[in-house]
Amino acid sequence: MRAPISTTNALTLNQLLTHQNIPNPADFYFDQSYLYLDSSLETLTPTLFSDNDLQPENNDSVNNGWELVLLSSTTISQLVDICQFAGIKLVKLNRINHRLGVSSYRFALQATDINAARKLANQYALEQSLELALIEQAPSLATPGLLVMDMDSTTIEIECIDEIAKLAGVGEEVAEVTERAMQGELDFAASLKQRVATLSGSSESILSEVASQLPLMPGLRPLLDLLKSHQWRIAVASGGFTYFTDYLQKELELDATQANVLEIVDGKLTGHVLGDITDAQVKADTLGRLATEFSIPTAQTVAMGDGANDLQMLAAAELGVAYKAKPVVLQQADCAINFSGLDCLAHWLK
């Protein structure tokens, strides 16, 4: 057995674990003095728990398939706090992933009430500006999958309709309606028609002006490059407009897009949307249709979004991810990314 390593609770998981040749998987639990990480119960670091607090148990409280995923910047002190706050026991270090320059750690866990544990863990993460995920049976990066993303405020940093409205001179009026729709306070289809109507008579050139400078969300390109290298399919399903999803499809080499069509006559917006509205149900249907078209099993599907119009799509996917989302979405999504770029998703996947 190696000699104990002198550490403190201020160390990060990366500082403690990355260079310790930890086997995968490894038994993992705390007692009053130490953190144990392998079958020989090798001493690695002092912790704060009493002797029986987090011993592994073989009983009905074991949640098969559930994992707590933490990034390398998480400190040992935060790990202790998460376990105490959320009422969970870590019983095995399932895997260490090194992706896109960051390490992450996947722990098997026990909890008597997994739903309460996930809610409390997410609450702690928000309060501490920390990224974590408590996930059941996450899709695997190593197997081909499907990612369907919302566009506005997810794939790109702006709400396109708000930017169009600014150029059309109705910015404040439209932005207020957009915010209420994203919070789930308004019917999406009705609110979209209301907002588009205010654009009647505006020049098509304002669409081109917005499209020419779409700000991609941080981490988007590295994430897509990684997924594509593992034969994942990528799509955007948006309550926005094809004028912009078409641009993104070409720019990012997306496999598919779904969005609304603005009516343009003689170079002017008419204030109408052509055809059916891409609402929450259409987004969810798009995910299912693309999974079938690309022969991707549901277990390998991921959806990401930030507004109420994304909820059905997130529920339809195996993993629904709230990205810097509204409270109504955070409460219902499987997991969240609140402070990092989109490339954080690489670590929520197995």
Side-chain angles (χ1 to χ4, degrees):
M1 182 181 293
R2 294 187 305 236
I5 300 169
S6 177
T7 64
T8 71
N9 282 297
L11 285 181
T12 66
L13 286 173
N14 190 57
Q15 292 169 317
L16 177 65
L17 302 180
T18 299
H19 305 297
Q20 302 306 324
N21 298 316
I22 304 302
N24 262 334
D27 292 330
F28 184 103
Y29 67 90
F30 298 100
D31 71 11
Q32 66 178 15
S33 301
Y34 302 110
L35 178 155
Y36 294 115
L37 257 172
D38 64 15
S39 58
S40 65
L41 303 184
E42 182 168 358
T43 301
L44 290 181
T45 185
T47 67
L48 305 179
F49 288 110
S50 64
D51 189 48
N52 295 318
D53 273 349
L54 289 172
Q55 295 274 354
E57 302 172 6
N58 293 316
N59 57 33
D60 292 338
S61 71
V62 176
N63 301 104
N64 293 328
W66 283 92
E67 294 182 307
L68 175 66
V69 189
L70 299 167
L71 300 184
S72 56
S73 57
T74 308
T75 66
I76 299 302
S77 179
Q78 288 172 324
L79 178 61
V80 171
D81 288 345
I82 292 164
C83 291
Q84 291 179 329
F85 189 78
I88 60 178
K89 301 179 181 182
L90 305 184
V91 297
K92 193 176 290 291
L93 175 61
N94 282 341
R95 184 177 179 87
I96 301 174
N97 286 322
H98 307 289
R99 295 169 179 168
L100 301 176
V102 175
S103 299
S104 59
Y105 306 86
R106 309 184 73 89
F107 298 97
L109 59 91
Q110 299 170 350
T112 55
D113 186 338
I114 194 66
N115 291 323
R118 181 161 66 172
K119 181 178 179 180
L120 289 169
N122 290 340
Q123 178 184 334
Y124 178 89
L126 279 173
E127 291 174 353
Q128 300 298 317
S129 300
L130 182 71
E131 299 288 13
L132 63 77
L134 213 165
I135 306 173
E136 182 183 25
Q137 300 292 357
S140 170
L141 174 63
T143 302
L146 170 67
L147 169 63
V148 181
M149 300 177 290
D150 175 41
M151 179 175 66
D152 299 282
S153 298
T154 301
T155 305
I156 59 177
E157 294 188 83
I158 61 171
E159 293 287 328
C160 286
I161 193 166
D162 290 355
E163 299 305 311
I164 298 168
K166 290 177 185 177
L167 296 176
V170 289
E172 291 186 8
E173 176 185 347
V174 168
E176 180 182 355
V177 177
T178 298
E179 178 64 19
R180 293 185 62 195
M182 292 177 65
Q183 296 281 4
E185 299 174 3
L186 300 174
D187 174 77
F188 179 80
S191 71
L192 181 68
K193 292 177 181 178
Q194 176 185 345
R195 285 174 286 169
V196 171
T198 66
L199 306 176
S200 178
S202 298
S203 172
E204 180 184 1
S205 64
I206 65 175
L207 302 181
S208 177
E209 186 173 344
V210 173
S212 68
Q213 48 190 346
L214 291 180
L216 300 180
M217 195 64 74
L220 175 63
R221 288 191 184 275
L223 174 65
L224 298 195
D225 288 345
L226 178 67
L227 293 177
K228 289 175 183 179
S229 73
H230 288 83
Q231 289 74 56
W232 276 60
R233 302 285 192 147
I234 316 295
V236 165
S238 174
F241 309 113
T242 56
Y243 199 99
F244 306 106
T245 59
D246 288 349
Y247 171 85
L248 290 175
Q249 184 166 19
K250 181 179 179 181
E251 176 75 11
L252 301 172
E253 298 182 345
L254 302 175
D255 293 289
T257 61
Q258 171 68 44
N260 298 300
V261 181
L262 284 170
E263 184 179 50
I264 302 171
V265 176
D266 296 330
K268 300 286 187 181
L269 302 181
T270 66
H272 299 290
V273 176
L274 296 176
D276 295 334
I277 298 293
T278 297
D279 59 9
Q281 186 60 58
V282 172
K283 286 190 171 189
D285 292 344
T286 298
L287 184 140
R289 173 175 57 81
L290 292 177
T292 298
E293 179 180 333
F294 298 138
S295 299
I296 303 296
T298 300
Q300 280 294 113
T301 58
V302 179
M304 296 181 70
D306 69 308
N309 195 41
D310 299 311
L311 284 172
Q312 291 187 43
M313 180 174 72
L314 269 57
E318 178 68 20
L319 184 65
V321 184
Y323 185 74
K324 298 184 179 179
K326 304 302 179 185
V328 65
V329 182
L330 284 174
Q331 292 166 9
Q332 299 182 48
D334 295 319
C335 59
I337 300 171
N338 293 308
F339 309 103
S340 304
L342 288 171
D343 49 346
C344 182
L345 175 64
H347 295 280
W348 294 174
L349 302 175
K350 284 184 180 177

